[in-house]
Amino acid sequence: KSQVVQLNIGGHVFSTTLGTIRKFPNSTLADLLNGSAKRMDSEGRHFIDRNGTYFGYILEYLRTEKIPTEHLQEVHKEALYYDIKPLVKAIEDTPQFFGETVGRQQFLARVPNYRENLEVIVRVARAEAVASRYSNIIVCVVRTEDDLARYNDTIDSLGTPRDSVVSFGPWKAPASVEDLLDCIKMDIEAKGYK
């Protein structure tokens, strides 16, 4: 268990002990270093074909059981991948993660047609990008009924084709326009687009 092992996680090199890696013996991480599942790189390090950017947080948890305080979404995804159940639960129980996931979903449920509008953004952007390698989409955030009344005049004054405009709102929730725009940006990026 005290044997030192080196790991190459997508080009990021880490050194630890076998005992640390096998702290949770039923995890995928422990399995990756056992028997036929293990792979070695040209330097003799255990190789895992995965982005290693956040693996240090996983390793720190295995060593100290200290829950990370930053990059919780990303570390959570890695903990799920490596099937480290205590870390997954610990992150999900943090106020920051809980607020980001549960609170965010409750807010988005109050924004009419949110998911459908995301799909429209992606569909229009892909169609325009095929012809010109980029696309322009105007995202209109209509927070209140008053904003909705001014919406048509504003869109008409831009002289933009209506199929390049996607509107969100109005909604009845305390979250701000900036909160909604952050959600749109995160969800578009989660689909692999910028």
Side-chain angles (χ1 to χ4, degrees):
K1 284 192 170 187
S2 62
Q3 175 188 350
V4 175
V5 293
Q6 288 201 331
L7 305 169
N8 176 349
I9 315 290
H12 297 260
V13 177
F14 299 92
S15 293
T16 189
T17 65
L18 201 52
T20 298
I21 295 298
R22 292 181 177 161
K23 183 168 188 165
F24 300 104
N26 295 327
S27 70
T28 302
L29 181 60
D31 287 345
L32 290 171
L33 272 70
N34 290 332
S36 62
K38 70 179 175 181
R39 292 189 293 183
M40 309 302 268
D41 70 6
S42 61
E43 302 291 319
R45 298 177 291 228
H46 293 273
F47 179 75
I48 299 174
D49 190 13
R50 185 146 180 97
N51 186 337
T53 302
Y54 302 103
F55 187 76
Y57 295 100
I58 301 289
L59 201 51
E60 186 62 24
Y61 178 79
L62 294 175
R63 290 174 177 147
T64 65
E65 294 191 22
K66 182 180 175 201
I67 302 164
T69 57
E70 54 188 17
H71 307 292
L72 288 182
Q73 296 285 339
E74 295 85 356
V75 177
H76 182 259
K77 286 178 189 170
E78 295 304 299
L80 285 171
Y81 175 79
Y82 292 115
D83 196 24
I84 303 172
K85 290 178 177 64
L87 178 55
V88 169
K89 181 171 178 5
I91 290 174
E92 288 174 351
D93 288 344
T94 64
Q96 182 183 356
F97 188 88
F98 182 82
E100 178 62 30
T101 53
V102 175
R104 182 176 188 270
Q105 294 309 317
Q106 288 176 349
F107 162 57
L108 294 178
R110 294 180 181 173
V111 177
N113 305 314
Y114 179 79
R115 296 281 169 217
E116 295 84 355
N117 284 343
L118 283 181
E119 293 304 317
V120 170
I121 289 172
V122 170
R123 190 173 57 246
V124 170
R126 285 188 358 207
E128 287 185 5
V130 167
S132 60
R133 299 182 150 247
Y134 72 94
S135 61
N136 288 318
I137 297 176
I138 296 174
V139 175
C140 294
V141 178
V142 182
R143 172 75 171 95
T144 65
E145 295 295 331
D146 291 340
D147 294 337
L148 185 59
R150 293 187 297 267
Y151 166 78
N152 285 327
D153 293 338
T154 303
I155 294 303
D156 290 341
S157 71
L158 292 174
T160 302
R162 288 279 177 161
D163 58 353
S164 294
V165 178
V166 178
S167 302
F168 292 85
W171 67 88
K172 294 185 184 335
S176 69
V177 169
E178 291 78 15
D179 292 332
L180 178 62
L181 291 173
D182 283 344
C183 291
I184 293 168
K185 182 177 183 285
M186 286 172 52
D187 289 338
I188 293 291
E189 288 175 351
K191 292 177 177 288
Y193 298 99
K194 258 187 167 177

